Amino acid sequence: MERFFKPKRVRSGESSNEPNISEPVQNQSCVELNLNDIVSDPGLRKSVEKFDISLRDHVRREYLTRGPCQPIGHMYPKTSFGKQHRSFQDSWYQKFVWLEYSISKDAAFCFWCFLFKTQNKGGRYAKDAFTNTGFNNWKEAMERFNEHIGAVNSCHNDARIQFESFQDQRHSVSNVLRSCGREIDIAYRTRLTAALDVTRFLLKQGLAFRGNDESTSSSNRGNFLELFEWYSQRNTEIFEVVNQNAPANNQLTSPMIQKDLAHACASEITSVIINDIGDNYFSLIVDESRDSSVKEQMGVVLRYVNKEGRVIERFLAIVHVSDTTSLCLKDAIDSLFAQHGLSLSKLRGQGYDGVSNMRGEFNGLKALILQENPYAMYIHCFAHQLQLVIVAVAKENIIVSEFFVYVSMIVNLTGASCKRRDQLRQIEHDKIVTLLDSGDIISGKGKNQETSLARPGDTRWGSHYLTLLRLSSMWASVIGILGNIQDDATTSDNRGMARGLIDRMNDYEFVFALHLMKYLLGITNDLSLVLQQRDQNIVQAMSLIDTMKSQLQDFREEG
């Protein structure tokens, strides 16, 4: 019955020890603001947080109506700082509109931070000196005022943003959301549907959300925006929504929204992977790499057998690590397993490269995991072993090692600028057109397409095979580009290098090494590609290695 009685109003700051049976039990407070609590002098005020939560906006409006306390023309007392006497200055009000002065404390305060003080940000000046105790070191006033303002994300600037939003209630977020009608809701849902459809398509095709496409004139456009416009043109309704002037938060094409969509899709995909593994056994594949900002990262891949009996490999995450020591990698793996609810006791295999911090017998990552789970068998990556063998053998032979040094110099010199790459493509294009007209070659899917020299990579020895194939097929075009560099280069170093490379390419030893390594790397490249297939097992891998060794032995004896 108490909820039917009229509530009794209590003024702010008043209290009553007598029980009030007519006051209802409600979540909302029924208090009124006492205007005597609104004090102009910032040194005598009580903070906004001490008012009842239902009155704080009212308190802010009252102070906003009165404005900051700036007693212009007041006789400010002077304070001694060594041999100098300094005081507050009226001119500071013009430079810092947020500045207040307390006559009672002879101290400066911040009007914005008083009204919207952030509890979790800012330093001592944002929380205490300019809001509670006041600041009166007039010798360092300008320096401390600027220090109080701080960076873009400082406590003071956060308070300024809240102050301006509170002033402009008509354009506040809550008011805009309340004014949104059904048409805006429909437009938002239409854009969101198109964005999700494009996101699903990119995920199914394995395409990046943002990237460069050299075949288009707008090379800085991302895959997401291009597909979003194409999708909109296919659908008249979405096309109309996309081209109308929608609010800024309704575009769904900003990088922040694209990142949110990518993170949401990543979370869903990770959840599906974890649910697919369930309580089954799995193997761990880890490799370390750096990004373009030289930031150490660890890629984690899980390999398991699903409920249908098929071997599945799934990329789980990229984890940032402070360093690449085995202990740090082990801690990162433990944190990742705990985050996704994976148990180390279910681990049955480890696959790493041959670096000592990964496969060390005593302190490597393999050893640390084996101490907790002795059933997690370690297997060296066969494809990486093959690469290490090829690198070691190639560097041991002086002729082959020197050959690849010259190949790198040729690729770097011919592709050092966009102008040279375009010239190389044009020369190769004219040659292909001439051969097509004469009927010496035919056109078709994947045949005689526009190409360029591929740069070999140190971490992927298989890339050298592609480089040699391109160099062999574009031999005449490359010599032509080097000849142009020799004639037109602005520096003597480039002219001399181009002349030396032309002489080297015309040398019998270089041509012989080219054909020899192209044949050998062709054999090893096929094996490397097969070893990287996800459906391979160790028995098949050993059989393939024996077959390759037989081919190399036959080539040694009869080739």
Side-chain angles (χ1 to χ4, degrees):
M1 294 293 294
E2 293 179 357
R3 58 193 176 90
F4 294 102
F5 288 102
K6 183 177 180 180
K8 179 182 178 181
R9 297 186 177 272
V10 180
R11 289 183 177 272
S12 174
E14 298 180 359
S15 61
S16 177
N17 297 327
E18 299 181 0
N20 182 13
I21 61 174
S22 64
E23 185 175 357
V25 181
Q26 297 178 347
N27 294 328
Q28 296 180 351
S29 177
C30 300
V31 293
E32 292 181 351
L33 176 63
N34 187 357
L35 295 181
N36 293 328
D37 294 334
I38 307 299
V39 181
S40 298
D41 193 322
L44 303 177
R45 299 172 184 160
K46 66 178 183 179
S47 63
V48 179
E49 289 75 14
K50 293 183 179 180
F51 287 89
D52 188 271
I53 191 171
S54 62
L55 297 177
R56 292 176 185 175
D57 283 350
H58 192 184
V59 172
R60 292 187 177 99
R61 292 190 186 95
E62 289 291 336
Y63 278 115
L64 189 63
T65 302
R66 300 188 182 190
C69 180
Q70 298 178 346
I72 299 176
H74 177 71
M75 297 296 296
Y76 302 106
K78 295 183 178 294
T79 306
S80 298
F81 295 94
K83 297 182 179 180
Q84 298 179 345
H85 300 279
R86 298 179 182 272
S87 65
F88 189 89
Q89 303 294 326
D90 283 341
S91 59
W92 294 343
Y93 293 138
Q94 300 177 0
K95 189 172 184 179
F96 306 101
V97 295
W98 47 268
L99 190 62
E100 291 187 297
Y101 177 79
S102 171
I103 299 178
S104 60
K105 289 189 175 182
D106 184 29
F109 292 81
C110 178
F111 186 58
W112 295 345
C113 292
F114 165 72
L115 295 179
F116 303 96
K117 182 173 67 174
T118 305
Q119 297 294 331
N120 298 325
K121 291 184 178 181
R124 180 173 63 87
Y125 295 103
K127 291 185 177 180
D128 299 327
F130 285 89
T131 54
N132 295 332
T133 60
F135 172 79
N136 57 4
N137 187 359
W138 312 127
K139 184 179 180 180
E140 303 176 356
M142 298 299 294
E143 179 182 351
R144 295 299 174 87
F145 290 163
N146 292 323
E147 183 179 348
H148 170 69
I149 295 174
V152 178
N153 59 346
S154 65
C155 173
H156 176 83
N157 284 310
D158 287 344
R160 175 186 59 81
I161 293 173
Q162 297 184 54
F163 176 81
E164 293 173 352
S165 300
F166 191 80
Q167 270 188 316
D168 191 9
Q169 292 292 327
R170 179 177 297 180
H171 297 90
S172 62
V173 175
S174 58
N175 185 66
V176 171
L177 291 177
R178 284 194 301 267
S179 62
C180 288
R182 180 173 176 77
E183 294 182 357
I184 297 181
D185 292 339
I186 294 175
Y188 179 80
R189 290 181 179 274
T190 306
R191 286 174 172 269
L192 182 60
T193 302
L196 291 176
D197 289 341
V198 171
T199 302
R200 292 191 188 99
F201 177 80
L202 292 175
L203 289 172
K204 290 180 179 179
Q205 299 297 325
L207 299 174
F209 275 64
R210 300 185 66 82
N212 294 335
D213 185 3
E214 297 182 356
S215 62
T216 58
S217 57
S218 55
S219 59
N220 294 324
R221 300 169 67 89
N223 293 330
F224 182 86
L225 293 178
E226 293 177 356
L227 285 173
F228 189 68
E229 291 185 358
W230 174 83
Y231 186 93
S232 304
Q233 294 175 2
R234 298 279 299 208
N235 190 309
T236 306
E237 178 185 1
I238 299 176
F239 180 77
E240 294 176 355
V241 174
V242 169
N243 284 277
Q244 67 184 5
N245 294 325
N249 60 348
N250 199 15
Q251 296 293 329
L252 295 180
T253 56
S254 67
M256 182 178 298
I257 293 180
Q258 294 180 29
K259 290 179 181 178
D260 289 341
L261 291 172
H263 288 315
C265 295
S267 299
E268 291 295 326
I269 293 173
T270 304
S271 177
V272 171
I273 294 173
I274 299 302
N275 293 334
D276 194 23
I277 295 176
D279 295 332
N280 297 331
Y281 298 111
F282 61 93
S283 297
L284 176 67
I285 304 175
V286 173
D287 195 9
E288 49 190 305
S289 62
R290 293 182 180 181
D291 60 3
S292 57
S293 61
V294 197
K295 184 178 180 181
E296 292 290 351
Q297 294 177 331
M298 178 179 65
V300 180
V301 177
L302 299 182
R303 183 182 177 97
Y304 61 94
V305 179
N306 64 1
K307 299 176 182 178
E308 300 177 358
R310 293 187 298 176
V311 179
I312 304 296
E313 281 188 3
R314 289 290 182 260
F315 173 77
L316 184 63
I318 293 181
V319 183
H320 169 64
V321 290
S322 56
D323 54 60
T324 57
T325 60
S326 57
L327 187 59
C328 182
L329 297 178
K330 176 63 167 52
D331 293 339
I333 291 175
D334 290 339
S335 301
L336 183 65
F337 279 19
Q339 177 184 352
H340 297 293
L342 297 172
S343 175
L344 195 63
S345 62
K346 294 291 183 179
L347 189 62
R348 287 297 180 269
Q350 308 178 63
Y352 317 127
D353 55 15
V355 186
S356 59
N357 65 332
M358 307 296 286
R359 65 175 182 88
E361 293 293 334
F362 301 102
N363 297 321
L365 178 61
K366 173 199 73 172
L368 296 178
I369 293 180
L370 285 174
Q371 291 175 6
E372 299 185 23
N373 182 5
Y375 302 104
M377 181 183 298
Y378 167 72
I379 299 177
H380 195 292
C381 175
F382 276 30
H384 192 270
Q385 277 185 326
L386 176 63
Q387 173 177 309
L388 293 177
V389 170
I390 296 174
V391 172
V393 173
K395 290 184 177 180
E396 192 68 23
N397 189 288
I398 299 177
I399 298 177
V400 175
S401 178
E402 183 182 11
F403 165 75
F404 280 110
V405 171
Y406 282 113
V407 169
S408 299
M409 293 172 62
I410 292 171
V411 175
N412 293 333
L413 187 60
T414 55
S417 64
C418 297
K419 179 181 178 181
R420 295 176 187 174
R421 288 196 295 268
D422 292 340
Q423 288 178 353
L424 181 61
R425 292 194 187 99
Q426 186 62 40
I427 294 175
E428 188 66 17
H429 175 268
D430 296 339
K431 185 186 73 174
I432 292 176
V433 171
T434 303
L435 295 175
L436 287 174
D437 294 339
S438 62
D440 295 336
I441 60 175
I442 59 175
S443 61
K445 184 177 181 180
K447 297 180 179 180
N448 301 314
Q449 302 297 320
E450 181 180 340
T451 184
S452 180
L453 288 181
R455 190 182 301 272
D458 295 334
T459 58
R460 292 289 180 183
W461 192 256
S463 63
H464 289 67
Y465 178 61
L466 180 60
T467 302
L468 298 185
L469 289 179
R470 298 279 182 87
L471 180 60
S472 178
S473 63
M474 305 173 66
W475 187 269
S477 303
V478 172
I479 292 181
I481 289 295
L482 292 177
N484 294 338
I485 297 174
Q486 179 184 353
D487 298 334
D488 303 333
T490 56
T491 61
S492 58
D493 293 339
N494 287 341
R495 290 196 298 268
M497 183 181 296
R499 179 182 178 84
L501 292 177
I502 292 175
D503 294 339
R504 176 58 59 174
M505 291 181 66
N506 292 325
D507 185 62
Y508 170 78
E509 186 179 89
F510 184 88
V511 178
F512 176 80
L514 171 65
H515 289 281
L516 174 65
M517 294 309 300
K518 187 171 66 171
Y519 181 83
L520 293 177
L521 291 180
I523 298 176
T524 58
N525 185 68
D526 293 339
L527 175 62
S528 178
L529 295 177
V530 173
L531 289 176
Q532 296 179 50
Q533 294 179 1
R534 64 183 61 182
D535 57 349
Q536 284 295 340
N537 55 53
I538 189 170
V539 177
Q540 291 177 338
M542 295 299 297
S543 175
L544 292 170
I545 292 175
D546 292 337
T547 303
M548 186 203 68
K549 291 170 65 177
S550 300
Q551 291 180 352
L552 293 177
Q553 187 64 30
D554 294 339
F555 180 70
R556 177 192 294 270
E557 296 176 355
E558 303 177 3

